[in-house]
Amino acid sequence: MLTHTDSKLADIDRLISQQEAIFVKRQPKSAEMAARARGVLAGGVTSNWQITEPQPVWLSHGAGSKVYDVDGNEYVDLHGGYGAALAGHAHPAIVRAVREQVTRGTHFAQPTADAIIVAAELARRFGLPQWRFANSGTEATMDAVHLMRSFTGRDLIIKIEGGYHGHHDSVQVSVMPDVAEAGPAGHPAQVPSSSGIPAAITGLTLVASFNQLGSVERLLDEHKDQVAGMIVEPIMMNAGIIGPEPGFLSGLRDLLHSHGALLTFDEVKTGLTVGPGGVTAKEGVLPDLVCLAKSVGGGVSVAAIGGTEELMRHVADGGYEMVGTFNGNPLAMAAARAMLTEVATEEAYLRIERLRARAEAGITKAIGDNGLTAHVVTAGAKGCIVFAAQPVRDYRGFLATDDSYSNAHWLFQHNGGVFLPPWGKIEQWLISVQHDEPDIDRLIGNFAAFASAIHS
Ligand SMILES: Cc1ncc(COP(=O)(O)O)c(C=O)c1O
């Protein structure tokens, strides 16, 4: 079996250079756009995560399961706008809902009927009775952290090392720390993940390890009666895909509650993508708060936060001011209503499950055929390839997996007409309700070509 020896890594570097040359050659107009953009857009892009190597890809449009770049290249879109395109592109139900609402006004800052339908449907799926809306995952998790603090009257929160919850101060801690600064594995250090965040705020966020209840218990014991709550991605999805071991999520809830602290599931990524009611319904563990965003709006910017009667009464009574000009925006609510009632249906999940299984089987076979040290991890519509022999159970395990193979694979897929999310081993593919078997076969075919290029 091949392992990631030095000579193999040199081969991978060569492969990356070859594929980057093909990539750039296919996209002269993207290069032109990037050059023009640099004059007026910081870094030539609209978010730092769009600054990808060898150059940002400028898109012209999306349709169904495909996106098209400004050079006219077609891609099966498994990037899904960083996991926000479960509906695919220009889904007729979303187009209809948005078009109808646009003609009736796009913003009032007063509630509209769709908000009740969306909240009721989320309550049914996720089992939490009361909901509010926001515009991005960052806003939803920021409200969750504030609400946990406000309700308990405590300042500290716990997050997981390697977990990402958006770009507000309290959660920009130990998102992607280097091993040198990360501290002991069972008791991770609090490492700031961004500049511009005062140390005093970083100091309020304690860091635990995924799948290790002991690391959470230790923090709760060390900071008795000071911890407001914990925020966690119930399946980690900013470090490939790392699932919870049996008993971890229910153990977290029991542990936190026994210390008078609360539990928030950040289902911004997992939300509708792993199943109709996210990990919450799948694992049958009800937290105090759930945060949703990304795919909930069918491609329109919307976030939701669901909570228990008790917590949301605190909001209703003005104990915590959950506010925002665009919260419950009618356009976003119309899109979310269509997403929940017409797009993310039981039938759509069955179809996605068939495609998930097809992708997993096809790629696993190519791994075996070529003797690669790798395995496939999937969760509903999401999936990734981990270039390691053993399953990963936490951030430290993720750090130890190979990134250069992931980068080479991304380029191979891209040049072969499949758009996976950039950033190597961090991200996952997203199968939308509009993908079909030929789309998945293109993914498998490109992977097989990549595997055989390494093998040879
Ligand atoms: C788990 C998770 N939470 C929160 C966020 C922040 O969402 P947004 O980028 O919409 O602010 C992200 C973004 O990738 C995420 O993956």
Side-chain angles (χ1 to χ4, degrees):
M1 184 171 275
L2 296 181
T3 50
H4 307 150
T5 58
D6 288 350
S7 78
K8 267 292 154 204
L9 290 178
D11 288 349
I12 284 287
D13 285 347
R14 246 193 317 279
L15 212 54
I16 288 175
S17 302
Q18 281 165 10
Q19 291 295 318
E20 283 190 343
I22 298 170
F23 186 106
V24 170
K25 195 154 179 231
R26 274 162 50 91
Q27 297 175 40
K29 287 208 179 109
S30 263
E32 260 173 59
M33 295 288 281
R36 257 176 63 203
R38 275 192 280 275
V40 285
L41 291 170
V45 288
T46 59
S47 157
N48 275 25
W49 290 348
Q50 295 164 8
I51 307 177
T52 48
E53 295 298 334
Q55 67 183 27
V57 182
W58 287 71
L59 294 186
S60 71
H61 66 287
S65 63
K66 311 286 193 310
V67 287
Y68 300 84
D69 69 20
V70 290
D71 286 285
N73 298 307
E74 177 197 273
Y75 305 87
V76 169
D77 182 21
L78 291 168
H79 180 324
Y82 285 125
L86 183 66
H89 300 288
H91 189 291
I94 305 287
V95 171
R96 196 165 48 244
V98 169
R99 184 175 283 151
E100 277 169 13
Q101 188 58 49
V102 162
T103 63
R104 294 158 57 83
T106 58
H107 182 64
F108 313 120
Q110 289 298 126
T112 52
D114 282 339
I116 302 175
I117 299 171
V118 175
E121 182 57 17
L122 292 176
R124 187 185 73 78
R125 289 177 182 230
F126 287 84
L128 284 167
Q130 293 269 306
W131 291 78
R132 278 286 183 87
F133 302 105
N135 305 286
S136 68
T138 295
E139 286 183 33
T141 64
M142 184 181 69
D143 268 329
V145 168
H146 290 170
L147 182 51
M148 291 194 295
R149 285 180 170 148
S150 169
F151 188 78
T152 59
R154 301 173 177 180
D155 284 345
L156 300 182
I157 61 158
I158 302 176
K159 80 174 280 288
I160 292 287
E161 187 177 49
Y164 179 69
H165 305 290
H167 56 277
H168 58 94
D169 298 13
S170 297
V171 292
Q172 278 282 18
V173 182
S174 297
V175 173
M176 194 63 63
D178 289 342
V179 74
E181 57 185 0
H187 201 325
Q190 297 154 270
V191 183
S193 299
S194 169
S195 56
I197 295 173
I201 294 186
T202 304
L204 298 176
T205 301
L206 311 172
V207 182
S209 308
F210 199 67
N211 279 326
Q212 294 181 41
L213 283 177
S215 75
V216 179
E217 191 165 22
R218 186 177 307 124
L219 292 173
L220 289 166
D221 287 341
E222 281 171 6
H223 303 274
K224 269 222 165 330
D225 302 331
Q226 295 173 65
V227 175
M230 173 165 180
I231 185 162
V232 60
E233 294 173 80
I235 296 178
M236 289 184 76
M237 282 205 184
N238 286 282
I241 297 177
I242 308 177
E245 290 172 359
F248 178 64
L249 296 176
S250 58
L252 272 186
R253 186 186 53 191
D254 296 347
L255 200 52
L256 288 156
H257 284 182
S258 71
H259 286 77
L262 301 165
L263 176 63
T264 296
F265 281 173
D266 177 354
E267 293 230 48
V268 165
K269 261 193 165 174
T270 50
L272 297 188
T273 61
V274 303
V279 186
T280 301
K282 213 169 187 157
E283 294 286 327
V285 176
L286 194 66
D288 300 291
L289 293 168
V290 164
C291 299
L292 303 173
K294 296 215 190 241
S295 279
V296 172
V300 176
S301 173
V302 61
I305 174 164
T308 59
E309 290 282 357
E310 216 185 354
L311 268 172
M312 296 308 250
R313 200 175 318 119
H314 187 63
V315 174
D317 292 347
Y320 170 63
E321 291 277 38
M322 194 180 276
V323 296
T325 302
F326 279 91
N327 289 5
N329 169 266
L331 200 60
M333 291 295 101
R337 188 243 309 140
M339 182 68 194
L340 290 167
T341 61
E342 299 178 65
V343 178
T345 58
E346 289 295 334
E347 192 198 347
Y349 285 106
L350 291 176
R351 179 188 162 81
I352 285 172
E353 169 53 23
R354 284 194 294 275
L355 298 178
R356 181 206 64 78
R358 189 181 186 92
E360 183 176 81
I363 294 173
T364 302
K365 180 173 182 311
I367 288 171
D369 289 349
N370 292 282
L372 274 187
T373 305
H375 61 279
V376 184
V377 187
T378 60
K382 307 280 271 177
C384 66
I385 299 157
V386 179
F387 290 93
Q390 299 303 323
V392 172
R393 71 183 291 255
D394 58 20
Y395 176 70
R396 301 297 168 106
F398 164 76
L399 265 187
T401 61
D402 191 275
D403 205 24
S404 53
Y405 276 58
S406 304
N407 285 331
H409 173 237
W410 185 80
L411 288 162
F412 240 91
Q413 289 287 358
H414 201 85
N415 292 336
V418 173
F419 208 140
L420 287 175
W423 303 109
K425 64 183 185 177
I426 297 171
E427 290 286 335
Q428 319 77 36
W429 65 65
L430 173 67
I431 299 170
S432 82
V433 303
Q434 298 196 67
H435 282 89
D436 59 13
E437 277 84 5
D439 291 332
I440 299 303
D441 291 347
R442 203 189 287 183
L443 171 79
I444 297 168
N446 285 344
F447 181 81
F450 161 74
S452 110
I454 299 175
H455 185 75
S456 58

